[in-house]
Amino acid sequence: MSIKINVPFSQKDEAKQKGAIWMNDAKTWVIPDYIENIDPFDRWLPGDGFIVKDPYLICKSSRQCWKCQKETPLIALAARTYYTCDLASEINLKWQKIKYPAFFIGIRYMDPILLPLLKEKYPFYREMPAKKTGILTWVNTCRYCQTIQGDDYNTNNSGSPFGGYQNEKKTLFRGKNMEQIQLRFDYYIDGVVFEGIYYWDGFSEAE
Ligand SMILES: [Zn+2]
């Protein structure tokens, strides 16, 4: 899918010259899929986060709530292909296209394109103020007692629900626990990425 960009009317000719396309039905400019280098469009992107390309995936898992002890669902947004920002490099492009699987936690900016789906299907996954900083962050909460289920436990060891391929139950990336969603455009998020070859086998299983 193409990437939506926010081009002021006064800059429309410049955007067009760089290869952006106006989609009349959606009333937006987009970077078409065949353009790999999106750096020329940087100033019209929402910020320095991640842009997730098709297929849009949701990893599903569950855990025992640390407070009420009931089994409660968890999700994380996932990608096979996405753009990330390389802010330090003076040699590489700023927006690097990454073509191996990853999932995202600690999201502080969620593309509005995802909000209706999250609200309807995964209401336990929501925006809450972080304990220490008060910054609004997307977290999994217990379906029964609404307590935040911390991502440290969810992701950081092989026995945890998002522990990836080494997880004995392989709960995260099994096909039945990987949902593909349909969106009109690629989406933008700001958060933390978990990536690497470690997760690849699990993504293969999902095919
Ligand atoms: Zn609970």
Side-chain angles (χ1 to χ4, degrees):
M1 294 290 149
S2 49
I3 302 169
K4 245 172 119 168
I5 45 175
N6 186 16
V7 179
F9 186 75
S10 62
Q11 294 167 12
K12 66 178 174 47
D13 291 340
E14 194 187 338
K16 190 177 176 182
Q17 191 242 327
K18 288 177 193 289
I21 292 173
W22 172 255
M23 292 187 73
N24 201 39
D25 57 338
K27 296 277 180 279
T28 185
W29 287 92
V30 298
I31 310 168
D33 234 5
Y34 52 79
I35 294 180
E36 293 260 319
N37 175 10
I38 64 170
D39 278 9
F41 307 91
D42 183 47
R43 78 174 113 147
W44 301 310
L45 292 166
D48 298 336
F50 303 98
I51 297 167
V52 175
K53 303 290 292 176
D54 213 9
Y56 314 115
L57 301 168
I58 292 186
C59 299
K60 300 198 252 184
S61 189
S62 69
R63 65 174 280 179
Q64 193 178 33
C65 171
W66 61 268
K67 193 163 191 191
C68 76
Q69 311 298 319
K70 288 180 183 165
E71 193 73 9
T72 187
L74 307 169
I75 64 159
L77 299 179
R80 281 173 198 273
T81 307
Y82 63 99
Y83 282 95
T84 185
C85 284
D86 185 351
L87 297 171
S89 172
E90 291 174 8
I91 305 160
N92 294 327
L93 295 173
K94 176 182 171 185
W95 288 94
Q96 299 272 317
K97 196 172 192 180
I98 310 290
K99 293 179 181 173
Y100 51 77
F103 68 95
F104 303 91
I105 63 160
I107 295 173
R108 291 178 176 182
Y109 177 85
M110 184 73 77
D111 195 315
I113 201 172
L114 289 162
L115 297 179
L117 173 104
L118 294 175
K119 196 175 175 187
E120 185 196 348
K121 290 193 74 177
Y122 308 106
F124 56 86
Y125 183 67
R126 57 203 173 107
E127 214 175 11
M128 302 276 283
K131 253 185 204 165
K132 286 177 188 166
T133 59
I135 296 169
L136 287 171
T137 306
W138 285 78
V139 290
N140 286 285
T141 60
C142 175
R143 172 181 273 175
Y144 306 98
C145 74
Q146 282 76 52
T147 309
I148 293 173
Q149 306 297 304
D151 278 325
D152 286 347
Y153 170 83
N154 293 341
T155 57
N156 281 0
N157 66 73
S158 61
S160 67
F162 287 171
Y165 190 61
Q166 284 189 352
N167 180 354
E168 198 182 311
K169 291 182 188 169
K170 298 182 185 176
T171 48
L172 178 54
F173 295 126
R174 296 291 293 273
K176 63 188 171 69
N177 288 319
M178 185 75 89
E179 182 186 353
Q180 187 174 344
I181 58 173
Q182 303 300 322
L183 296 171
R184 179 78 196 276
F185 299 105
D186 296 333
Y187 67 82
Y188 170 83
I189 49 174
D190 204 353
V192 179
V193 67
F194 275 72
E195 62 189 12
I197 193 78
Y198 174 66
Y199 295 105
W200 179 259
D201 287 348
F203 270 85
S204 300
E205 283 176 19
E207 286 173 340

